[in-house]
Amino acid sequence: MKALLAGAATALLLAMAGVANAADDPLKICLDEDLPPLSAHHRGKPDSGFDVALAQAIAERLGRPFKIQWFESKLDEDSSPALEANALLSDGRCSLVGGYALTKDSLVVPGVATAKLPDFDGATREDRRRRIPIGVLAPSRAYIYSPMTVLLGPNARDRIKDRKITDIGDLAGLRLAIESGTLGDAILMTFDKGKLIDDITHLVPGRSDLLGELERGEYDATLLDLRRFDAYRASHPDTKITASGYYYPIGANRGYVALETDKALLDAVNAALEELQNKGIIAQLGQAAGLTWLAPREPAVLGDVWLKILSR
């Protein structure tokens, strides 16, 4: 009997130790290093952004320390944010990827068995060569809505007078600038069977300074992710660019994504997000980060974006 009790006591202590170790295990979250004001990681500067603060708040509610795995997502024709996120998760670099756009296309079952890792903080030459066997992604509840908005240059008001921008068609007659191959490009080019085509100048993403040229009055308006304007406004507090107040009606929520096998973690994160949103803390974190925080909207996961655009 004594031996049996001793064995039971030992098992209980080991179980308690396992729980304690789990609580001490950092919650690892992957964040894009250059997505201000959502997340930013630059040498010589403290880490910053809404997603950094939100990750800390969630980890506190889960009773765990947290660690950020920074990565770099390159915008080129060979990159796939969905596959990069999947590779990071499947390789164990993190348990959650934050700031993830929740769209049907970004959550489909992968059509390939392996994927390459994006460049990440601490990556070796071997890491850049490896292909990772990947799983299936599952989303958390959304925590912010990310729309596209019309931005107006300093001369635009003289051209439109008292006219308000309430639809893409109100941009007719303005000098429009847009980055080639972007969602904004597709929206403007296909609007009303090409009604705006003659007003559009295309700029090369990564080579041209879209907002700088808009600032200098070389163009009158553009259609851009609201997050990018928040970031620009933070670094150019005296900007003469103004937000029109119009949001394109097709936008995406952002949330976390994990592997579908990590359901327990997603359930815990969802509970923490619900508490934080109900208390208004998520909105406060957004405001503190200089982000225009908008509450998530239905549908939680955006469907086929291109069909929606073409049908308008």
Side-chain angles (χ1 to χ4, degrees), residues 157-172:
R157 289 296 176 189
D158 292 335
R159 292 176 178 272
I160 63 176
K161 304 301 180 182
D162 296 328
R163 182 177 54 177
K164 291 184 178 180
I165 305 298
T166 59
D167 187 70
I168 294 297
D170 294 329
L171 298 176

Side-chain angles (χ1 to χ4, degrees), residues 85-104:
N86 202 323
L88 288 166
L89 293 165
S90 298
D91 198 44
R93 297 293 157 182
C94 51
S95 299
L96 298 166
V97 176
Y100 194 82
L102 304 181
T103 68
K104 183 178 178 181

Side-chain angles (χ1 to χ4, degrees), residues 107-165:
L107 294 168
V108 297
V109 176
V112 294
T114 64
K116 293 187 68 174
L117 290 160
D119 195 15
F120 62 87
D121 198 15
T124 64
R125 182 178 299 178
E126 179 59 28
D127 287 323
R128 296 184 180 94
R129 295 173 179 167
R130 289 190 297 129
R131 294 195 67 88
I132 310 301
I134 56 176
V136 178
L137 300 179
S140 73
R141 65 180 286 151
Y143 54 72
I144 188 173
Y145 177 70
S146 292
M148 302 193 74
T149 188
V150 169
L151 302 177
L152 301 173
N155 300 325
R157 289 296 176 189
D158 292 335
R159 292 176 178 272
I160 63 176
K161 304 301 180 182
D162 296 328
R163 182 177 54 177
K164 291 184 178 180
I165 305 298

Side-chain angles (χ1 to χ4, degrees), residues 230-308:
D230 284 336
Y232 182 84
R233 191 162 40 188
S235 59
H236 300 79
D238 297 327
T239 181
K240 295 178 182 178
I241 299 175
T242 57
S244 65
Y246 167 75
Y247 297 143
Y248 188 72
I250 301 172
N253 292 316
R254 290 182 184 269
Y256 291 107
V257 70
L259 293 177
E260 66 172 5
T261 52
D262 219 348
K263 184 178 184 304
L265 175 61
L266 279 173
D267 288 344
V269 169
N270 284 338
L273 286 171
E274 183 175 15
E275 177 193 351
L276 291 167
Q277 184 161 337
N278 289 342
K279 291 183 176 179
I281 295 175
I282 296 182
Q284 293 171 13
L285 295 177
Q287 183 178 14
L291 182 70
T292 304
W293 184 82
L294 299 173
R297 301 182 184 183
E298 293 294 336
V301 176
L302 182 63
D304 193 320
V305 178
W306 301 110
L307 285 178
K308 290 178 181 292

Side-chain angles (χ1 to χ4, degrees), residues 148-227:
M148 302 193 74
T149 188
V150 169
L151 302 177
L152 301 173
N155 300 325
R157 289 296 176 189
D158 292 335
R159 292 176 178 272
I160 63 176
K161 304 301 180 182
D162 296 328
R163 182 177 54 177
K164 291 184 178 180
I165 305 298
T166 59
D167 187 70
I168 294 297
D170 294 329
L171 298 176
L174 295 180
R175 298 170 302 162
L176 306 177
I178 198 69
E179 291 172 330
S180 298
T182 61
L183 181 59
D185 184 14
I187 292 170
L188 293 183
M189 290 292 289
T190 59
F191 176 77
D192 197 10
K193 300 179 180 179
K195 178 180 178 181
L196 301 176
I197 286 179
D198 291 340
D199 299 326
I200 298 172
T201 297
H202 286 94
L203 304 180
V204 179
R207 297 182 189 175
S208 302
D209 181 12
L210 172 59
L211 291 177
E213 294 187 35
L214 188 64
E215 183 85 71
R216 292 189 292 272
E218 296 176 31
Y219 303 101
D220 297 321
T222 190
L223 180 64
L224 201 65
D225 188 337
L226 180 58
R227 175 202 65 80

Side-chain angles (χ1 to χ4, degrees), residues 22-34:
D24 293 336
D25 187 30
L27 178 65
K28 296 180 181 179
I29 299 179
C30 287
L31 295 178
D32 192 316
E33 67 178 25
D34 191 24

